[in-house]
Amino acid sequence: MSKLKIEGKNVLSGTIEISGAKNSAVALLPASLLCKTKSKIFKVPKIRDIEYLIKILEVLNCKCKIENNAVEIDTTHLKNAPIPEELSEQMRASYYFMGTLLARFKKVEISFPGGCHIGARPIDLHIKGFESLGAKVEIIKNKYIITADKLIGGRIYLDIASVGATINIMLAAVSAEGKTIIENAAREPEIVNVASYLISMGAKITGAGTSTIIIEQSLDLDNGVTEVFPDRIEASTYIVLGALMGENLKIKGFIKEHINAVLTKLNDVGQDFELNGDEITITRAKKYLPTNIKTQVYPGFPTDMQQVFTVLLTRASGESTVTETIYESRFKSAELLNQMGANTAACENVLTIKGPTELTGKSLWVPDLRGGAALLVAGLISEGTTILDNIPLLLRGYEDVVEKLKAVGAKIEIIE
Ligand code: EPZ
C-alpha cells in the first residue's frame, strides 16, 4: 500500500488555492437525485468520497459527466436500486441517499454508512426526522429499509444541531405535503450550500444558515446548478501550516466568515496574518502563546480542526487545552503526536498540551481523516523523515494535497 513520505522543516512560500468543500460536495451529489433531468455542480473536489458517490449514482442509473471539477448528473432514467454495503460503507455521506430516495420513491434500501471512527455517530435524529414526516424505518441485517405511503410535513425539533440530520431531513421534506419546519437546525455553511442548490432546482426553502429552516412542498424540481463552497477545513489546515512553516505563504479562495473561529484562535496564540478579501498571507511567528479551544457547532470552533490546531499548540510556550464536545474519540492523533515528541494527555474530553516541544519524524498509521491531516502538518514541522501509512483516509479529504504542498516548497511524496 502506498505511503506518504515527508521531509520536515522546509519553509513554505507561494500560493495554495482552496478546493470545493468535501462536506458540501458529498451532500450536493446525492441532492441531485431530486432533479427530474439534468443538474450541474461546479468546483467538486476530486477526492475518493466523490468517486464512490458517483458509483452510487451509477447504481441508481444516473449518468454522470465529469469535466475538470464540474459534474453533470442526469437523473432522467433514475431507478430505485438498493445501495450495496461495499459502496455505502465507504463514507458517512452515503446516508444522504436516504433523504433523496425517500423523497423520490417513498422507499429506500441502503446498507449502513461508514466514515471515520471518531465516536459512536448514531443517526437516530435522521430516522426520527423521517418518521416525523410519516416514514417507517426498519433495520434488517445491516440495512435500513425506509418506506412511506406519503410524506407529510410537520415541525421537527432536533435534540442536537446535527449537520447530517438537518440536510437529510431537508432533502426528504421537499417532497412532503405542506410545510416542514426544522427547529434547532445546524447552521453550518454546508446546509446553506445544499439549500441554495435545492432552491436553484425550484425548491421553496427559507432560513438555511439559521436554527429554523422552513421547507414547503416543491414538486417537479429540475435544472439544479451550484458551485461547491470553498473548503473551510482545508483552508484552515493550510493556514495553521502557514503559522508553523510559512514565509509569506498565501492561501487563497476561502470565505472569511467560514473560518472566523480559527482566525480568532490564531490571534490568541499571537500569530500575525494579513487578510485581503479571499486571501490570507501568513509568516510563521517566532513564539506562540498557549490557548484553550472548545469545539462547537458552527460558528464555533470546528471539531474538524482541533486535531490540526493541536499541532500548533505543541509549539506554544505553556499549557493549552482542547475540549472536544462533538465526538467522544477524536484524540487518537494526539497520542501519535506524543510518539513524535509532543507532550499531550487526554482526560475524558479534554486534551492538555504542554509546550513548546520539538517534534521528530516517525513512521505512523493515519487513524482518521483529520488526524491524518494533523500528522501531515506535524511531519512538515518535524526534524527528519515522517512516513504515514493508511493514507487513503487522509487523501479522501484534501484534493491534490501532495501537489499543492510540493508547489509551495514542501518535500513530500507518495511512495510504494
Ligand atoms: C458532519 O458529520 C461532517 N461529515 C463531519 O466531518 C463533521 O465533523 C460534523 O458534520 C460536524 O461538523 C460530513 O459532512 C460527511 P453531525 P455529521 O450529525 O453530519 C451526534 C470530517 O472529518 N448525532 O453534525 O455526521 C453525532 O454523534 C468529518 O470531515 C447524534 O447523536 O455530524 C455527533 O456527536 C468527520 N444523532 C454530533 O451529533 C444523529 O442522528 C454532531 O454530528 C446525528 C448526530
Side-chain angles (χ1 to χ4, degrees):
M1 204 207 272
S2 36
K3 298 179 185 176
L4 197 56
K5 182 177 172 197
I6 305 155
E7 297 292 343
K9 293 259 182 231
N10 290 292
V11 168
L12 307 177
S13 51
T15 303
I16 300 180
E17 295 257 1
I18 296 309
S19 298
K22 166 180 101 66
N23 288 344
S24 274
V26 297
L28 290 168
L29 265 82
S32 303
L33 291 193
L34 297 176
C35 272
K36 277 201 309 193
T37 61
K38 285 187 184 167
S39 53
K40 198 159 184 179
I41 309 171
F42 293 92
K43 252 194 141 193
V44 177
K46 287 185 185 135
I47 51 173
R48 212 189 56 160
D49 284 13
I50 297 297
E51 284 167 27
Y52 279 105
L53 287 171
I54 286 175
K55 285 185 187 164
I56 297 180
L57 288 168
E58 286 167 355
V59 165
L60 300 170
N61 214 26
C62 300
K63 286 210 166 49
C64 299
K65 212 157 73 190
I66 306 163
E67 242 173 70
N68 299 317
N69 286 88
V71 181
E72 188 184 83
I73 301 122
D74 184 351
T75 56
T76 309
H77 303 291
L78 177 69
K79 71 167 195 231
N80 191 11
I83 299 176
E85 189 171 2
E86 64 271 19
L87 295 179
S88 64
E89 71 176 8
Q90 295 296 334
M91 86 212 88
R92 193 94 197 131
S94 53
Y95 58 31
Y96 290 129
F97 287 104
M98 291 178 165
T100 47
L101 288 173
L102 185 59
R104 285 295 302 260
F105 297 103
K106 314 285 177 286
K107 182 170 183 348
V108 189
E109 190 175 326
I110 184 169
S111 296
F112 286 175
C116 286
H117 298 290
I118 50 182
R121 308 185 79 182
I123 61 163
D124 56 310
L125 300 172
H126 305 230
I127 308 248
K128 268 168 80 177
F130 298 146
E131 286 172 344
S132 304
L133 297 175
K136 182 171 146 218
V137 184
E138 293 171 280
I139 297 178
I140 299 176
K141 293 198 177 145
N142 281 353
K143 277 184 190 167
Y144 288 100
I145 315 280
I146 312 173
T147 47
D149 293 332
K150 59 178 178 177
L151 299 176
I152 302 171
R155 194 173 283 272
I156 297 169
Y157 175 85
L158 297 178
D159 295 337
I160 301 172
S162 151
V163 175
T166 302
I167 293 177
N168 232 344
I169 295 166
M170 190 165 72
L171 292 171
V174 289
S175 81
E177 282 176 19
K179 198 189 265 188
T180 304
I181 300 171
I182 309 176
E183 286 176 325
N184 196 29
R187 290 176 290 160
E188 272 70 0
E190 294 76 65
I191 288 129
V192 179
N193 211 172
V194 174
S196 54
Y197 185 40
L198 299 179
I199 290 166
S200 80
M201 299 173 191
K204 293 181 214 111
I205 300 173
T206 53
T210 75
S211 318
T212 305
I213 302 179
I214 301 170
I215 305 125
E216 286 180 63
Q217 186 181 39
S218 337
L219 305 170
D220 294 329
L221 302 184
D222 211 356
N223 298 315
V225 61
T226 199
E227 183 174 289
V228 182
F229 282 177
D231 196 315
R232 60 198 171 101
I233 305 301
E234 186 201 19
S236 304
T237 300
Y238 291 133
I239 291 171
V240 169
L241 180 59
L244 287 157
M245 290 311 300
E247 180 66 48
N248 287 319
L249 181 69
K250 283 192 195 331
I251 292 106
K252 190 174 163 41
F254 55 86
I255 297 172
K256 188 210 161 239
E257 289 67 33
H258 292 178
I259 61 167
N260 267 340
V262 174
L263 294 180
T264 301
K265 280 293 147 189
L266 279 181
N267 279 325
D268 288 357
V269 300
Q271 173 67 48
D272 288 334
F273 48 81
E274 206 180 293
L275 260 175
N276 196 355
D278 70 347
E279 183 178 298
I280 193 169
T281 307
I282 191 159
T283 295
R284 63 201 183 286
K286 293 201 168 53
K287 198 171 183 294
Y288 312 92
L289 304 168
T291 191
N292 300 315
I293 285 174
K294 191 172 189 181
T295 64
Q296 302 278 4
V297 295
Y298 186 82
F301 190 95
T303 170
D304 294 347
M305 267 310 291
Q306 60 91 345
Q307 290 157 291
V308 170
F309 212 95
T310 294
V311 181
L312 178 56
L313 297 179
T314 67
R315 283 291 162 86
S317 307
E319 192 172 297
S320 301
T321 60
V322 172
T323 304
E324 172 58 60
T325 70
I326 314 286
Y327 295 113
E328 313 88 77
S329 185
R330 226 177 187 183
F331 291 144
K332 286 179 204 152
S333 49
E335 287 166 28
L336 299 169
L337 291 179
N338 287 351
Q339 291 183 27
M340 301 175 89
N343 182 358
T344 79
C347 182
E348 296 184 346
N349 71 331
V350 181
L351 183 77
T352 304
I353 304 115
K354 289 186 182 151
T357 46
E358 284 294 324
L359 304 185
T360 311
K362 280 272 169 333
S363 288
L364 298 165
W365 180 264
V366 168
D368 51 68
L369 163 58
R370 307 300 171 188
L375 296 179
L376 167 61
V377 171
L380 289 165
I381 67 167
S382 290
E383 193 66 56
T385 308
T386 295
I387 309 279
L388 298 184
D389 205 339
N390 199 27
I391 52 169
L393 269 193
L394 164 62
L395 302 180
R396 61 180 276 243
Y398 293 85
E399 185 181 44
D400 296 335
V401 59
V402 173
E403 294 76 8
K404 286 186 186 187
L405 288 172
K406 266 186 173 171
V408 294
K411 291 229 163 59
I412 169 170
E413 61 178 326
I414 299 215
I415 54 169
E416 293 306 322

